[in-house]
Amino acid sequence: LKPLADILSIERLKGVELPPGLSEEDATTIIDAGHWAILTAFKNPVVGKTTGAALLHEMSTYLNSAANNSEEHPNPLKYVLFSAHDITLLSVM
């Protein structure tokens, strides 16, 4: 359900016509159901912890390193860029 909802949502944003036989109402119902499925899964804290804990730990490590930067222990990093899928970002949030 989620992949279909994602496809329909993105195609709607891009102005792509719906497939023959699929009404706007049908598309809205599918998109809403896809969003509901994602949010329902994240009501279980285990899901968020499993999918987001590693990235959150990595981010915390970099932030702690930057906060503890000193002349004795210089941190050569100027910035760190993380990239993630929407589900991973939702997990971290």
Side-chain angles (χ1 to χ4, degrees):
L1 179 61
K2 184 195 172 306
L4 178 58
D6 286 345
I7 290 168
L8 289 173
S9 181
I10 291 167
E11 287 184 349
R12 180 180 275 175
L13 289 172
K14 299 293 183 179
V16 176
E17 285 187 37
L18 292 172
L22 189 66
S23 70
E24 278 294 330
E25 185 179 347
D26 294 337
T28 299
T29 300
I30 292 168
I31 292 168
D32 290 347
H35 292 160
W36 174 85
I38 293 168
L39 295 175
T40 299
F42 279 91
K43 286 184 178 179
N44 181 343
V46 173
V47 173
K49 184 176 181 181
T50 302
T51 57
L55 179 58
L56 192 56
H57 176 73
E58 194 68 20
M59 291 167 67
S60 174
T61 300
Y62 280 111
L63 287 171
N64 283 328
S65 177
N68 295 323
N69 188 19
S70 66
E71 289 183 24
E72 297 87 33
H73 303 288
N75 185 349
L77 298 176
K78 300 297 180 200
Y79 65 91
V80 177
L81 175 66
F82 291 97
S83 177
H85 291 279
D86 56 346
I87 292 296
T88 307
L89 296 174
L90 184 59
S91 299
V92 170
M93 301 299 260

